[in-house]
Amino acid sequence: MKRSLTIGSAVAVAAAVALLAAGCSSGSNAGSADKPVTITLWGSYGNGGNSTQQDALNKTLIPAFEKANPGITVKYVDIAYDSLLQKLTTSAAGDQLPDLVRADLGWVPQFADLGVLVPLSDSMSDFSTLSKNVYPGSLATNLYKGKYYGLPLDTNTRVLITSQAALDKAGVSAPPKTFDDLRAMAGKLKGTGVSLFADSGLGAWNISPWIWSGGGEVTNKTETKATGYLNSAKNVSTVQMLVDFYNDKLIPNLITGNTGATGTSDGLPKTEYATILDGPWMQGIWSGQYPDFAPVYAPIPAGAGGSVSVVGGEDIVLTQSSKNKAAAEKFIRFTQSKDFQLAMVKTGQMTVVPSLASEEVAVADYYTTFAEQLKTAKSRVASPQASKIDTVLSTELTPAFLGTTTVKAALDKAATEIDALLAGGK
Amino acid sequence: MTAQLQTARPRGRAVPASQTAATTFRYAALIVGAVVMIIPFLYMVSTSFTAQAYVLTLPPQFIPNPATIANYTQALTTQDFLLYFANSLIVALASTVLSVLISSMMAFAFARYDFAGKEIIFRVLLAGLTVPAVMLLIPQFLLAKDWHLLDSLPGLMVFYIAGSLALNTFLLRGFLASVPGELDQAMQVDGANAWTRYWRLALPLAKPAIATATIFTFLASWDEYPLALTMINNPDHRTLPVAIAAFQGQNATQWGLVFAASLIAIVPVIIVFLVFQRYFVQGLTSGAVKG
Amino acid sequence: MTRQRARASATPYLFLAPGFILFLAVIIYPAIRAFQMSFFDWKIVPGAVSQFIGLDNYVRAFQDGHFWLSLSNSGIYMLATVPPQIVIGLFIAMLLKRKSPTQPLFRVLFYLPVVTSWVVVSLLFKYLFADSGLVNFTLHDFLHLMNRDVSWLSARGTALIAICALGVWKGIGWSMMIFLAALQGVPETLEEAATMDGANRWQRFRAVTLPAISPATVFITVMLVIGGLNVFTSVLLLTGGGPGGQTDVVLS
């Protein structure tokens, strides 16, 4: 009995101490928040323990901005990329959003639809000047119902990446420039155990470059209809080409969702895969993991539509709940400046300002291919339903690769479902 | 081993051959089981000592070559890892103590009293158990906002305590109900009030179950991620799981780093486990019926 | 006498009050809110008008073939993981019940998977079940049980095997803990009496141990069934619901 009493009192003391400590720690920080003007920016520059981007922001860019704009303090809060969307959604529900958010470009229509973003094309008098400086493809990702809700911060796209070892194995001298080159390369790789091409899924990010380069479209121009566009004869033949490769074991089942297959970032350096489509961040990954690997960058193979890739990147948006909109807009202007853009280029983020492209290429050679590809790259459907469209594409296209349905039937079905999504999301 | 087994079971009849066979079987089963349980874990330990260039090569390597402790130093130095560690410790300790206290009181009421509404109240608790935490996230966030519990550690504790109440009450009630009520009645006859009977009799009797509840609650509060992510904005109030998640990047994840951080995070849970599991050893028989 | 009764009847409510009030406010009220939201075309932003759509969300879910596939996946997961966790957990608890110097060590080893986060163990299993992972290596190259490598995570059936294996592996320690605590509550005198009556090991287990720990068994079963239906993280990280949504579970 005695023993239990001592345990009981120890437990009670521990609880009291813990509560007290918690009270102190929350109390001591509460006071420091109310400076003249503080604007908060949420983003995921943290990039998985690689702190170069966050350091550039916190140690160089933000101090420079604060110096130029006395009285404004900028607080950057880093949130893990995988959790950012969810955190933004709940915070929007609770009216707890920060002033500024660095959002994945696919999220802008979704949040604009919720009504939590300020249309910058209305609120910023110099918006048209700022918007003329950036790539149209990147800018377009901020458009929702005729208004722009953000400005691009950084951009990226996918290009064809291969290796000398893979080209040697296929007996070709240069990366495939056209769909025909690709088919020729396929013939040579058949039976060698090296896959012609690998990708990790069938979403819009994965399949769009093929569709556009093949001369097809996902939807009509106004993004209200997919039937008649997604299931066009051109798209059927483009996707059929990929399905044929798949059937000849030239595309691994990674593309149909085998998460146990070798990833593209490992398969290419190991010459299991001859080509992949990917972004500028791969260089950083390989220099850490495969220091000896020398990737070869080339444009997406051209089909009937030319060489057309897909735009990725992040936008900066201003929230309706911001109490310091003028200060926040100043920071948005700052992000479009040469200083900001070039500082981020050095950390692996491509600039959204075409006039800085030559300086960008000077930072690293491989940016050349990406910058060139960006000139024609297109953005995916800008809709609050974008993620559902992704799901439809991969769910409906997978059976076509597995052979349980025809390409035509799969595209018809996907188009019908996307029509419904676009009608619902307007 | 046989000798020990026989001291543990003083009345065990001496049939040495079958005894030895049983012991051998017991250990064989335990060792095979333990090996299966530990292999994936060892793999994680090995990865945490591996440089990024050699991480997750296939087939898996169990002995890192070359080995490095860079992941541990980086985990401890990037971000305010120690602050987050302390935050998590405060939240988990306070939540555990309060939750076990409050739920053992509820369990005592359920196990020792008959009262109007008992069934309904217990069913409401059970119903609470079946609601997936993901579903509650947004309503709970709105509630926290109304109550000004956002962005503070005590605010998180309120949700962690409430979240573990039903499970703990259920667990402790089951245990208390299986304990014969005679001792309680005897104390009641002696004039002990309800609090004394709870504090002096029920709690010590329920030691194994309380140890279990403590271990579970500590682990749950220590590991909780979605609520901590949603409710905390100020980086100074972050808890460890949020910090560990930040090591996973958009395009690349340094697995050695994530595993090293996770292993550091496992240490307190193992300590709590080791401290409280010894209460399993002194069970009912020695504690109450005989003593 | 009347005073005595009045006090006695108030006592249980006093013991219940702090916990139950907190529980109603922080769990039940939000649960009701969530349930209420499910009848609306819910606009999460404050001020926006949410339209009452009645059972539309449910009708849409029930008409969606995908919902039923998810439901059956959750059901399969539950059936495949709950019984093994109970049986193996109890078996190990029985083995670890007696005092011995190695006992604490084994307890920790069996409990390790429980304390490791879902994210980390899911990733571990993804690599164990990868095309050239440890599982294929062991079954094909080492034990020669299979004549080729299997793409475990590429098809619904085999992917579910991997997900269930993870569930059982991570859950055994948990049920073992509760059984261990419950086994301490079985009075030794009962067992000894049964031994005196000439009952063998199995008979003692059936007649004495099992009935004595039945509250714990019920508890574990209920909790595992609930947990089985709520499985989410491991599926998301292991297969992302793939291939083509074939392994999605209800929550996703």
Side-chain angles (χ1 to χ4, degrees), chain C residues 204-219:
Chain C
R204 283 201 309 263
F205 176 73
R206 282 280 307 273
V208 180
T209 315
L210 265 190
I213 60 167
S214 66
T217 315
V218 171
F219 171 74

Side-chain angles (χ1 to χ4, degrees), chain A residues 216-277:
Chain A
E217 293 294 339
V218 177
T219 65
N220 59 348
K221 276 239 155 48
T222 50
E223 300 185 341
T224 51
K225 212 163 175 48
T227 302
Y229 298 88
L230 181 62
N231 53 352
S232 68
K234 277 179 181 164
N235 285 349
V236 172
S237 101
T238 306
V239 177
Q240 189 63 52
M241 174 181 81
L242 297 176
V243 171
D244 290 345
F245 291 155
Y246 183 87
N247 289 337
D248 287 343
K249 307 246 176 271
L250 290 166
I251 295 181
N253 59 5
L254 178 69
I255 202 168
T256 50
N258 175 19
T259 51
T262 310
T264 53
S265 66
D266 294 313
L268 189 66
K270 289 178 177 167
T271 325
E272 280 181 40
Y273 307 149
T275 66
I276 64 171
L277 301 188

Side-chain angles (χ1 to χ4, degrees), chain B residues 234-250:
Chain B
N234 186 339
D236 292 343
H237 295 165
R238 278 190 177 169
T239 56
L240 213 47
V242 181
I244 292 176
F247 285 130
Q248 292 179 49
Q250 183 178 352

Side-chain angles (χ1 to χ4, degrees), chain A residues 21-108:
Chain A
C24 289
S25 71
S26 65
S28 61
N29 284 308
S32 62
D34 295 313
K35 283 275 161 57
V37 181
T38 301
I39 51 175
T40 309
L41 164 68
W42 285 4
S44 43
Y45 280 113
N47 206 21
N50 176 355
S51 56
T52 47
Q53 294 173 17
Q54 220 177 324
D55 285 349
L57 191 67
N58 281 329
K59 293 180 182 160
T60 318
L61 294 169
I62 288 179
F65 174 77
E66 287 172 349
K67 208 174 161 196
N69 298 278
I72 305 179
T73 311
V74 180
K75 198 171 158 203
Y76 170 68
V77 178
D78 195 66
I79 293 158
Y81 176 80
D82 287 342
S83 315
L84 184 57
L85 182 60
Q86 189 219 326
K87 172 128 178 140
L88 287 172
T89 311
T90 33
S91 300
D95 201 14
Q96 299 283 321
L97 285 170
D99 302 275
L100 296 167
V101 180
R102 176 192 188 240
D104 189 286
L105 47 75
W107 303 344
V108 177

